[in-house]
Amino acid sequence: VSPRERGPADAGPDAVQAFLRFLAVVLLAGFAVGLARGFLLVQAHGYLGTGLQRMALLTATSEASRAISWAFAAALFVGVPALLYGFFRERSFAAAALPLALLPLHDLARRATASDPERIVRLFGPLGALVPEHARHGAALVAVAILALLPLRVILRALANARRSPLALPVTLAVVAALAPGVLHAVAARTGRPRGPNVLLITIDTLRADHLSAYGYPRATSPFLDSLAARGALFERAMTPSPRTTQAIASIMTSLYPQTHGVRTLWGNLGRERLTLAELFRDAGYATAGFWTTTFLDEKRGLSQGFDAYESTAASSDRAEHLTNRAIRWLSRAVGTRRDAARGDRKPFFLWLHYRDPHMPYNPPAEDRAFADPAYGGVFREACVFWPTKEIMVYNHLGLIGPADVAQAIALYDGEIRYVDREVRRLVRDVEKRGVLDKTVVVVTSDHGEGLSDHGYYFDHGDLLYDSSLQVPLVIAGPGVPAARVREQVALLDLAPTIARLGGVAWPVDGEGRDLGPVMARAAGPEGARAVAGGTTEAPPFFAESGENLLGPFNPHRHLPGIEGKLRSIRTDCWKLILSPQPNGARGLELYDLAIDPAETTNVFASQLAEARELEKSLDEFLAKDRESSESALSDVDAETREKLRAMGYLQ
Ligand SMILES: [Zn+2]
């Protein structure tokens, strides 16, 4: 019997029944898919074998929540038009509003159950100020309990009514499926809340270690970082695995080399199956946030995984002060006042900031231009910019940039460092003001260095593998960190296991980095004194690869495109070997004796052949693990990313 023959009066409820049945099926399917995905992620992250069952539960349930949310949206997308069509055909306009009413309900349910009672606490909004916090927590717990018990009542009633209404059972099961992950998640998040220290991770783009006063630079560029280094560990030789932002940040977050985590270009994408530092902390019950200004760190890069809040402040300005302000606003909610912190009922936090200021163009605020020469009359006045074009400038092809221009550019670059140093001080002071600095591990580092005319490479990074681009500052201070100057070579890949342990959580998967705890302890002890006195260390060799070839034929060091054409290097405490692939399978090889030639000016490959061959063998073994054969072509880049590349001077 078709609806038309039965008449408009019966058609409405019939369409509603069909819609609800459809919704139930889709939600159940979403629940099943989410659980399966959660299980696969738990396996991929290795949570089960490491006693991190609570994190396994959190991962599985958050995956299920997410899948149900998607399923609900998909069901509405398909089902609502169908339902509306049915209603309009049968002229039952009033009931057509029903599916639309489900939209806010879904959002409320999702917010109430997505993670833990603190989410519900926030739903109280401005009323929260009038109700004491412990009362709000109590109310939130009651709300969670009601949400947990409600399905039970509904199930019982549905079972009793099952014979009368064929719809009751599937709808009830779907409601239970939708609420279950949220409730489990809330329970898992409440049990065994971590007390571990907070983590404040600060990466400053394009920051050369040797331009910080803490590293012996004659200009007072970094008074605050110097004071931080004085009470913590300073790493004299910290290295990035790729002198480009996206690749380096992905290595910091995953403890993997670019050829393993798979981000090989600025516009590369980190796969969801990779465990990141932010995911680890969020799953361990931390409040997590990432704030940044660099274009390439947007959600498409996959680096947002694990962050409760992930935002760029670039829309208003990419200046450091805006980033600091954003982070302080977040801290005022996550940490609260000194009194809130003293009560000790807040989650610990993992907060990451990526400042961009020392990156080209070098254009510090007026008060940080003191290093610049006021009488200078060359090509860089207010700011050092790519001039006249990036291609011509980066290798100074036309010889337009002279020593006075380089000096002025460096003075402006140093001014940017001084400016960021002040902003980092303001941020750390804010943490101190809230009474939690003694419970906070502060890590300051960079994604890569900068050419600054060394090796004929002007004001850029990414193409060459000399230490001016590979070496980054690294300072760690806070609970569990001894005061030490660490001489042995370390890498950004070491940060994830090190920071995880300092935060009281074990890094559960096999990374390619190492926990620097023992390294810091050695450096702080009598052994460290010996190492500083000139002995070599047992640091593992460290590998690096250049970025994508953005300058094309303007780059005299790059002979081949794609992943096969990337420059590669292996570095020990004493030696560095750089490989530049040439046409017809030939190899360009440079060897530097870092002990006597730290500026890498004399290629000793021919005279130190035995050493070179041994390093080449290790490098080849490492490269054999690189399964990707070709860099994603620039034509694969979507229009928006292409526009960003152009805006930043990476493309013309
Ligand atoms: Zn960068």
Side-chain angles (χ1 to χ4, degrees):
V1 184
S2 84
R4 194 170 281 278
E5 285 164 59
R6 287 198 320 195
D10 297 331
D14 208 32
V16 171
Q17 286 227 347
F19 175 71
L20 288 179
R21 207 173 300 129
F22 172 67
L23 190 63
V25 169
V26 174
L27 283 183
L28 285 172
F31 182 59
V33 169
L35 271 192
R37 277 192 62 94
F39 179 71
L40 290 176
L41 276 179
V42 166
Q43 288 283 84
H45 291 180
Y47 282 157
L48 282 180
T50 50
L52 295 166
Q53 277 81 0
R54 200 170 61 84
M55 286 170 58
L57 182 62
L58 281 165
T59 305
T61 53
S62 72
E63 233 10 75
S65 295
R66 191 200 304 259
I68 285 174
S69 226
W70 275 104
F72 192 92
L76 289 185
F77 190 70
V78 178
V80 169
L83 184 60
L84 287 177
Y85 175 73
F87 276 124
F88 282 116
R89 243 172 81 105
E90 309 304 339
R91 297 171 204 287
S92 176
F93 296 108
L98 173 77
L100 298 178
L102 285 173
L103 276 169
L105 260 186
H106 166 251
D107 188 52
L108 199 69
R110 189 177 57 79
R111 284 219 250 170
T113 61
S115 65
D116 63 344
E118 277 175 29
R119 287 267 168 102
I120 303 175
V121 171
R122 272 182 236 135
L123 286 180
F124 286 83
L127 281 179
L130 303 172
V131 186
E133 189 164 299
H134 54 268
R136 272 183 281 152
H137 268 280
L141 270 180
V142 171
V144 168
I146 291 172
L147 282 170
L149 291 176
L150 197 66
L152 192 67
R153 249 181 83 91
V154 179
I155 291 171
L156 292 176
R157 192 176 299 166
L159 288 175
N161 289 344
R163 230 171 261 164
R164 256 177 290 155
S165 164
L167 196 59
L169 197 59
V171 168
T172 307
L173 286 176
V175 168
V176 173
L179 290 180
V183 173
L184 282 174
H185 204 281
V187 170
R190 282 211 70 81
T191 51
R193 166 174 293 197
R195 300 252 155 254
N198 309 303
V199 175
L200 175 58
L201 170 62
I202 297 167
T203 50
I204 302 168
D205 210 300
T206 322
L207 182 56
R208 259 175 78 144
D210 61 357
H211 278 246
L212 298 183
S213 25
Y215 284 77
Y217 194 53
R219 282 177 178 155
T221 48
S222 57
F224 179 69
L225 293 180
D226 301 357
S227 69
L228 196 68
R231 69 175 175 90
L234 176 143
F235 295 79
E236 292 186 353
R237 298 170 185 167
M239 299 291 153
T240 184
S242 179
R244 283 256 198 250
T245 309
T246 318
Q247 294 93 311
I249 297 294
S251 288
I252 290 176
M253 294 297 176
T254 60
S255 186
L256 298 171
Y257 280 108
Q259 70 173 29
T260 314
H261 62 55
V263 180
R264 311 300 290 274
T265 59
L266 273 171
W267 53 91
N269 196 324
L270 184 69
R272 290 228 332 115
E273 76 284 4
R274 297 286 171 212
L275 176 69
T276 68
L277 204 46
E279 280 182 298
L280 185 80
F281 278 119
R282 183 205 55 195
D283 291 354
Y286 277 60
T288 58
F291 300 116
W292 43 278
T293 56
T294 302
T295 322
F296 293 106
L297 297 175
D298 63 24
E299 284 78 356
K300 282 188 206 151
R301 306 286 82 81
L303 291 165
S304 59
Q305 44 190 301
F307 287 108
D308 299 333
Y310 192 76
E311 267 178 51
S312 167
T313 56
S316 51
S317 158
D318 60 6
R319 287 272 197 214
E321 57 211 68
H322 294 268
L323 203 60
T324 309
N325 290 345
R326 180 66 192 91
I328 287 176
R329 274 210 311 283
W330 184 82
L331 283 168
S332 70
R333 289 179 75 175
V335 180
T337 62
R338 191 175 276 272
R339 250 181 51 210
D340 293 328
R343 260 202 308 274
D345 56 358
R346 299 292 178 107
K347 288 178 175 185
F349 67 80
F350 171 70
L351 173 59
W352 169 50
L353 276 86
H354 184 80
Y355 289 103
R356 182 179 188 270
D357 301 72
H359 192 287
M360 191 71 157
Y362 312 147
N363 187 22
E367 57 188 302
D368 295 296
R369 288 170 180 267
F371 304 129
D373 176 6
Y376 166 79
V379 295
F380 306 133
R381 299 292 173 86
E382 286 305 298
C384 170
V385 294
F386 288 128
W387 179 87
T389 70
K390 184 169 179 176
E391 281 86 348
I392 291 171
M393 181 197 200
V394 170
Y395 291 100
N396 200 10
H397 281 291
L398 303 179
L400 295 169
I401 301 156
D405 302 309
V406 171
Q408 185 72 357
I410 290 176
L412 293 168
Y413 172 78
D414 290 344
E416 295 270 28
I417 298 176
R418 204 182 154 81
Y419 168 52
V420 181
D421 182 77
R422 210 171 51 243
E423 284 300 312
V424 173
R425 176 201 304 269
R426 189 158 72 86
L427 179 66
V428 174
R429 285 276 155 83
D430 183 78
V431 173
E432 189 175 18
K433 201 184 73 197
R434 298 179 195 283
V436 292
L437 185 59
D438 58 340
K439 297 189 199 77
T440 303
V441 174
V442 182
V443 181
V444 182
T445 187
S446 176
D447 51 354
H448 49 74
E450 182 81 323
L452 300 181
S453 84
D454 309 341
H455 299 273
Y457 191 43
Y458 288 70
F459 320 125
D460 199 13
H461 49 266
D463 296 326
L464 304 188
L465 298 179
Y466 300 110
D467 275 6
S468 45
S469 293
L470 290 192
Q471 198 192 348
V472 291
L474 176 58
V475 172
I476 307 179
V481 182
R485 275 188 91 92
V486 179
R487 192 86 198 277
E488 82 177 65
Q489 160 173 295
V490 302
L492 291 181
L493 293 83
D494 302 334
L495 281 179
T498 306
I499 293 173
R501 189 191 45 80
L502 288 171
V505 192
W507 185 252
V509 289
D510 287 335
E512 290 170 310
R514 56 184 176 147
D515 176 6
L516 295 177
V519 178
M520 291 190 278
R522 266 204 305 279
E527 258 186 88
R530 273 202 298 280
V532 172
T536 58
T537 63
E538 294 300 307
F542 165 73
F543 304 93
E545 67 175 52
S546 63
E548 53 299 289
N549 187 23
L550 294 173
L551 292 177
F554 289 88
N555 177 356
H557 298 263
R558 181 77 179 245
H559 306 286
L560 295 171
I563 286 176
E564 302 88 340
K566 278 177 186 280
L567 273 63
R568 305 286 201 136
S569 68
I570 175 170
R571 191 190 192 283
T572 67
D573 269 329
C574 305
W575 300 97
K576 188 196 279 177
L577 182 81
I578 300 174
L579 160 70
S580 43
Q582 319 266 325
N584 307 321
R587 319 185 112 190
L589 290 162
E590 297 161 64
L591 180 71
Y592 297 101
D593 184 343
L594 300 173
I596 57 170
D597 180 24
E600 302 160 282
T601 54
T602 312
N603 180 2
V604 295
F605 182 82
S607 61
Q608 301 283 349
L609 213 51
E611 191 64 49
R613 290 298 177 214
E614 201 168 313
L615 289 167
E616 193 183 359
K617 193 166 148 255
S618 303
L619 181 60
D620 281 338
E621 281 166 15
F622 176 74
L623 295 185
K625 288 185 272 182
D626 189 351
R627 281 185 291 272
E628 279 184 87
S629 57
S630 193
E631 202 170 325
S632 43
L634 215 52
S635 56
D636 291 348
V637 178
D638 62 77
E640 190 191 339
T641 306
R642 179 176 275 276
E643 198 40 56
K644 285 175 179 173
L645 280 163
R646 192 171 289 122
M648 291 180 75
Y650 286 110
L651 279 183
Q652 293 301 319

